[in-house]
Amino acid sequence: MAKIQMKTPLVEMDGDEMTRVLWQWIKEDLLCPYVELKTEYYDLGLVNRDRTDDRVTVDAAEANKKYGVGVKCATITPNAQRVEEYKLKQMWKSPNGTIRRILDGTVFRAPILAKGITPYIPGWKKPIVLARHAYGDVYSGVETRAAAGDKAYLLIEGADGAVKEKLLVQDFRKGSGIVQSMHNMDASIESFARSCFNYALDLRLPLWFATKDTISKKYDHRFKDIFAKIFEKEYKDKFAAAGIEYMYTLIDDAVARIVRSSGGVLWACKNYDGDVMSDMVATAYGSLGLMSSVLVSPDGNYEFEAAHGTVTRHYYKHLQGEETSTNSVATIFAWTGALAKRGELDGLPALVSFAKKLEAATLRTIEEGEMTGDLIPLFHAEGVTPCKRSSRAFLQAVAARLEAALV
Ligand code: NAP
Ligand code: MG
């Protein structure tokens, strides 16, 4: 069979530790035999980030902006221990944070569902895709403690330095306490809204957005109003044409609806809600190894990756020559997501179809009982006994099914 050809290169961002090992194997076993892979390669491994003073991360993000589609391997975000371990020049920033800033994107996380892996909420039959606003609120909050007798104010100064507004937050005359203040930007909320509306259209999923505007009548209400205005002006007709709905509700109502739902929604969350709820949703679906992630910018650039990290513990075993059983599914789906999107943008149906077949082969491998160790305790299917496969053996089991599906 002739290899599938590509037009525009994918921006390939290599990473660290166990996922860097899986990255190479995925290419060898599942991609290169079938696709004439055309990528622009950036090595975001920590050694190369340090060598290039992190220039490589910026270059990769710029390339992602230029070509539109990238695929990224998990990378180490250095802390003090990593600075020591890798003898780093400095504690480089999180590559994901750098890429997000340059692309100005929103991260969407979606679980990968395989038959036999039942979510802790068994009613969830379809994916719940979660979008988290990644700017402001409590994450860039200003806070302090107040002593008994203090008064705390919120103060707004105009461009001329004159006080425009002075609001009493609390009079601490009855005792000491704490104060916090936070902000967000209209432009950031607008771009979050557009990313969510666009991605809902992409996936043809209804969009739910929730805040607590009944309590927060100015702050949360602003989020609600911006979403409503943009929907009305730019997306109402497109949603109607796609047969999907936009619904705004209160966050507590949204949580109740999500638990009762069968999935199949895109759930947009404010920063803190998204932080908490994405871990709840990921855990409820089963394994971190089955959670995919895509960064979508409001001007239509995509960066696909797995939601998990570099799986350090497994890597140290691997380095000692021990066999690992690390789940590669989310990393495989990062590649298929990117290839399918590239195929769609370049008008290459063969590439799209290859990506879909690789996804199907991956799911069938699990459904027929071959899986990595993390999935064994989660798997229950009548007549199928789950068998634990090593990292490489799992990929080879997928390759065998892919091979059969391609002839
Ligand atoms: P992690 O790599 O996600 O791993 C945490 C634990 O979850 C693992 O030890 C493993 O549990 C389990 N796990 C995660 N992914 C798995 C998979 N694919 N297959 C099987 N088990 C899996 O998180 P971490 O240990 O907190 O972070 C490690 C490094 O990754 C850090 O340097 C961090 O900065 C980086 N990180 C990168 C990203 C990113 O690039 N997007 C995201 C998060 C973290 P067991 O050990 O029990 O088997
Ligand atoms: Mg969190």
Side-chain angles (χ1 to χ4, degrees):
M1 204 188 74
K3 285 195 191 182
I4 297 160
Q5 299 295 315
M6 295 177 62
K7 273 187 203 157
T8 317
L10 267 184
V11 179
E12 175 185 352
M13 298 172 239
D14 208 341
D16 288 300
E17 300 195 312
M18 199 59 216
T19 40
R20 187 183 180 96
V21 175
L22 295 177
W23 195 259
Q24 194 54 41
W25 289 347
I26 289 170
K27 282 168 58 179
E28 280 173 27
D29 294 346
L30 300 175
L31 303 175
C32 293
Y34 312 104
V35 180
E36 197 62 57
L37 259 196
K38 200 167 173 182
T39 73
E40 203 167 286
Y41 179 86
Y42 293 87
D43 183 0
L44 266 57
L46 189 50
V47 173
N48 195 45
R49 272 183 277 149
D50 194 52
R51 196 181 61 77
T52 61
D53 293 334
D54 209 24
R55 183 71 227 170
V56 66
T57 308
V58 175
D59 291 346
E62 296 292 352
N64 203 143
K65 229 173 154 168
K66 173 176 161 198
Y67 292 116
V69 187
V71 57
K72 181 180 167 290
C73 179
T75 46
I76 292 169
T77 298
N79 53 17
Q81 182 255 320
R82 298 295 199 169
V83 171
E84 180 59 28
E85 181 185 354
Y86 283 80
K87 304 276 173 266
L88 300 178
K89 295 179 201 158
Q90 66 179 74
M91 202 185 291
W92 304 108
K93 288 198 187 122
S94 148
N96 287 39
T98 302
I99 296 167
R100 207 154 52 216
R101 259 192 307 283
I102 292 173
L103 291 184
D104 177 28
T106 298
V107 174
F108 298 88
R109 276 174 148 209
I112 298 156
L113 304 193
K115 287 191 207 85
I117 310 278
T118 311
Y120 288 96
I121 298 179
W124 290 359
K125 305 287 184 207
K126 291 172 278 179
I128 293 163
V129 183
L130 197 136
R132 170 181 170 188
H133 186 211
Y135 179 83
D137 299 355
V138 67
Y139 301 87
S140 42
V142 177
E143 48 183 40
T144 189
R145 287 169 65 172
D150 287 354
K151 278 185 188 153
Y153 293 96
L154 188 63
L155 191 110
I156 302 282
E157 227 175 61
D160 59 359
V163 172
K164 286 169 67 182
E165 222 179 339
K166 184 177 175 185
L167 307 169
L168 179 68
V169 175
Q170 177 71 343
D171 182 337
F172 288 94
R173 102 183 91 180
K174 284 190 188 150
S176 59
I178 41 184
V179 196
Q180 182 185 60
S181 139
M182 58 191 198
H183 81 283
N184 220 298
M185 305 289 288
D186 288 349
S188 175
I189 302 168
E190 283 163 11
S191 96
F192 176 55
R194 289 198 177 90
S195 293
C196 291
F197 289 129
N198 285 338
Y199 203 54
L201 286 168
D202 255 21
L203 300 182
R204 284 189 173 250
L205 285 180
L207 175 68
W208 295 1
F209 177 51
T211 73
K212 194 73 184 177
D213 67 288
T214 45
I215 299 299
S216 170
K217 290 183 164 59
K218 292 240 164 69
Y219 197 104
D220 278 15
H221 214 284
R222 186 78 188 136
F223 280 81
K224 177 183 177 179
D225 286 347
I226 288 175
F227 266 71
K229 185 188 75 190
I230 291 180
F231 178 70
E232 216 34 59
K233 261 176 87 174
E234 301 171 29
Y235 292 95
K236 200 177 175 179
D237 297 341
K238 291 181 199 162
F239 268 53
I244 55 174
E245 281 184 351
Y246 166 59
M247 178 184 77
Y248 174 84
T249 184
L250 289 169
I251 184 67
D252 35 358
D253 179 52
V255 171
R257 283 173 188 260
I258 284 287
V259 170
R260 285 197 308 263
S261 80
S262 58
V265 285
L266 172 51
W267 184 16
C269 289
K270 283 181 63 197
N271 210 347
Y272 179 82
D273 298 338
D275 187 349
V276 177
M277 289 304 157
S278 64
D279 280 13
M280 188 274 282
V281 169
T283 308
Y285 272 109
S287 167
L288 256 183
L290 294 179
M291 186 58 69
S292 68
S293 173
V294 55
L295 175 70
V296 183
S297 76
D299 50 350
N301 296 304
Y302 296 78
E303 184 241 326
F304 293 84
E305 65 175 324
H308 60 77
T310 58
V311 211
T312 310
R313 200 181 63 83
H314 296 212
Y315 181 59
Y316 288 137
K317 275 177 70 182
H318 171 80
L319 283 184
Q320 284 167 1
E322 278 183 59
E323 204 163 64
T324 63
S325 182
T326 315
N327 192 333
S328 52
V329 172
T331 308
I332 296 172
F333 274 64
W335 274 102
T336 55
L339 290 170
K341 181 49 82 178
R342 197 64 274 167
E344 190 189 310
L345 295 174
D346 289 350
L348 300 171
L351 192 59
V352 178
S353 150
F354 169 79
K356 296 298 151 200
K357 283 181 179 152
L358 175 50
E359 290 182 357
T362 307
L363 295 179
R364 263 196 32 229
T365 305
I366 298 170
E367 288 163 5
E368 290 173 6
E370 298 191 67
M371 64 199 75
T372 46
D374 56 316
L375 299 182
I376 298 278
L378 306 171
F379 187 85
H380 303 280
E382 216 171 308
V384 186
T385 311
C387 297
K388 180 174 165 178
R389 295 284 178 252
S390 71
S391 306
R392 193 74 191 248
F394 176 78
L395 292 172
Q396 284 157 354
V398 174
R401 287 170 177 83
L402 176 65
E403 185 87 40
L406 286 172
V407 290

